[in-house]
Amino acid sequence: MKIAVIGGGAVGLTSALQMQRTLHNAEITIYASNLDNIVSNVAAGIFRVGSSYCGPNEEITRKWIEDSYSFYDDISKLPNASQAGVTSISGYMFANSLNIIKNHWMEKLVPIYRNVTEEEFQLVGGDWKFGCFFTTLLTECKLYLPWTLQQLKANGAIIKRQQIDSFKELIKDYDIIMNCTGLGARNLCTDRRMVPIRGQVIKVAAPWLKTFFYGDLDTYIIPGFNGVVTLGGTRNFDSENLKLCPYESAAIRTRCETLVPSLKMVENIREEVGLRPYRDGGVRVEAEFISDGYDKTTVIHNYGHGGYGVCTAPGTAQYAVQLAINAHKSSIAKL
């Protein structure tokens, strides 16, 4: 099989890797206009899937999440896990609404998920009513994506720095096209359900912080690798503004410093903005047969993850690979 994967972010590269591991003889080519300035690199990378995340139905969505956690958990146990940018992490979430603390996706998935004690409320600033402590995984994309790319190249994948504006550019050369273009699917698929959700974060040096903290869902402090901590965040629906906003930066610092006062002594390393590829109606992972009148092929769509692309990329990728296998078997049977 000749397979084209469009997209060089967490979803695209993970899908290519899952494809390569499943179909050992497949020829895989990855098309990406940019492998550096991508929203995956802005993400803190903590494995926390919000209650609102959804696929086609409850069963499939839960499998995506469970398969994703298993994928990263397996990497975290490798001898070179630090090179791959995956590690275990624990921390707290505090909130004034019980709905934020309760999470039907996470509670039975991660090793520890419990309510906080009265003493633990004193660990942070603010007047919180509810709280939970849980252990999960962290994926640092600035390490994970190069590691994944290295795995792909070592096993024969070809990388092409090229923007694809139409599936017709690839239709005659590939048996399967996997579409992992995120926000780019608005134009490539004319998918009007795709909406950018702008996010702004601050990276600071705070190597003493080993525990993550959430204050509701708008405030988060997430330690990464090499002592770099992500402070967040913002969620600006339908905004494509990639310029840094000093007012939002000030608000992020104020909220995070109120939650963890020791952050008042640290300076910013950098500030970053990214556009989350949110899809109204849920993540799209499905097969579509296309033709240009002469040639035909199968497109497997895998996009629209919103702020959970890093978290759930392995699970949706595994599901997408199975769709590709089924589609190829069907085309052979028709011949």
Side-chain angles (χ1 to χ4, degrees):
M1 292 174 65
K2 290 187 176 182
I3 300 166
V5 178
I6 313 173
V11 176
L13 295 189
T14 304
S15 295
L17 186 63
Q18 294 279 54
M19 187 78 76
Q20 194 178 67
R21 289 178 172 181
T22 306
L23 301 171
H24 303 293
N25 296 321
E27 297 178 18
I28 298 174
T29 303
I30 299 162
Y31 290 87
S33 58
N34 196 319
L35 288 167
D36 304 309
N37 187 24
I38 52 177
V39 69
S40 301
N41 285 331
V42 179
I46 193 168
F47 195 101
R48 190 201 68 82
V49 182
S51 297
S52 62
Y53 178 81
C54 67
N57 57 51
E58 176 98 4
E59 181 182 356
I60 290 174
T61 305
R62 186 171 295 281
K63 181 166 175 52
W64 288 353
I65 295 169
E66 291 175 351
D67 287 347
S68 295
Y69 190 88
S70 295
F71 175 89
Y72 288 126
D73 192 40
D74 288 344
I75 293 177
S76 74
K77 295 171 183 174
L78 295 174
N80 65 339
S82 60
Q83 296 176 30
V86 182
T87 189
S88 177
I89 190 170
S90 298
Y92 296 90
M93 178 174 286
F94 297 95
N96 287 314
S97 168
L98 184 60
N99 290 329
I100 292 175
I101 301 304
K102 301 294 292 181
N103 188 309
H104 64 293
W105 299 131
M106 297 289 294
E107 289 176 11
K108 295 181 180 180
L109 175 65
V110 296
I112 301 172
Y113 199 104
R114 62 167 175 80
N115 292 331
V116 299
T117 64
E118 286 299 322
E119 291 78 9
E120 286 173 317
F121 278 109
Q122 309 307 312
L123 293 172
V124 295
D127 185 19
W128 306 103
K129 295 179 180 178
F130 306 98
C132 66
F133 174 89
F134 61 98
T135 297
T136 185
L137 296 166
L138 181 83
T139 302
E140 174 62 69
C141 274
K142 289 188 177 179
L143 296 172
Y144 168 72
L145 294 183
W147 177 83
T148 305
L149 206 55
Q150 184 180 34
Q151 304 291 309
L152 288 163
K153 288 179 178 178
N155 289 292
I158 298 169
I159 314 298
K160 291 190 176 182
R161 299 239 181 178
Q162 179 181 336
Q163 180 169 318
I164 302 300
D165 297 313
S166 170
F167 295 125
K168 292 180 180 179
E169 298 174 43
L170 306 175
I171 192 170
K172 63 181 173 53
D173 296 321
Y174 295 97
D175 302 299
I176 298 287
I177 300 171
M178 189 165 287
N179 171 29
C180 306
T181 53
L183 209 53
R186 282 188 303 179
N187 297 324
L188 189 60
C189 305
T190 319
D191 191 338
R192 296 180 180 85
R193 293 187 175 189
M194 291 300 299
V195 181
I197 299 181
R198 179 185 179 276
Q200 182 168 319
V201 298
I202 302 171
K203 304 288 184 175
V204 300
W208 64 87
L209 273 180
K210 307 296 182 184
T211 303
F212 65 80
F213 295 92
Y214 278 84
D216 280 332
L217 295 178
D218 296 325
T219 303
Y220 49 87
I221 299 159
I222 302 175
F225 284 70
N226 303 317
V228 177
V229 178
T230 300
L231 309 184
T234 63
R235 290 179 177 83
N236 307 128
F237 188 83
D238 209 8
S239 171
E240 298 191 41
N241 181 11
L242 289 171
K243 293 182 180 179
L244 290 166
C245 175
Y247 303 105
E248 291 187 340
S249 295
I252 290 169
R253 289 292 309 224
T254 298
R255 285 187 274 114
C256 290
E257 290 169 10
T258 300
L259 189 65
V260 179
S262 65
L263 289 169
K264 293 178 181 179
M265 67 180 71
V266 304
E267 295 183 357
N268 296 355
I269 298 174
R270 63 184 181 273
E271 299 174 64
E272 297 177 328
V273 174
L275 302 180
R276 305 175 181 95
Y278 172 77
R279 186 171 185 270
D280 184 21
V283 186
R284 185 185 186 191
V285 190
E286 62 184 23
E288 179 183 8
F289 298 94
I290 64 171
S291 172
D292 61 2
Y294 299 96
D295 300 292
K296 59 183 178 179
T297 191
T298 301
V299 176
I300 307 296
H301 299 288
N302 185 10
Y303 67 83
H305 297 65
Y308 304 108
V310 178
C311 287
T312 62
T316 63
Q318 187 169 319
Y319 186 83
V321 169
Q322 191 57 54
L323 290 179
I325 292 171
N326 293 343
H328 192 61
K329 287 180 178 178
S330 177
S331 64
I332 291 174
K334 288 178 181 177
L335 293 174

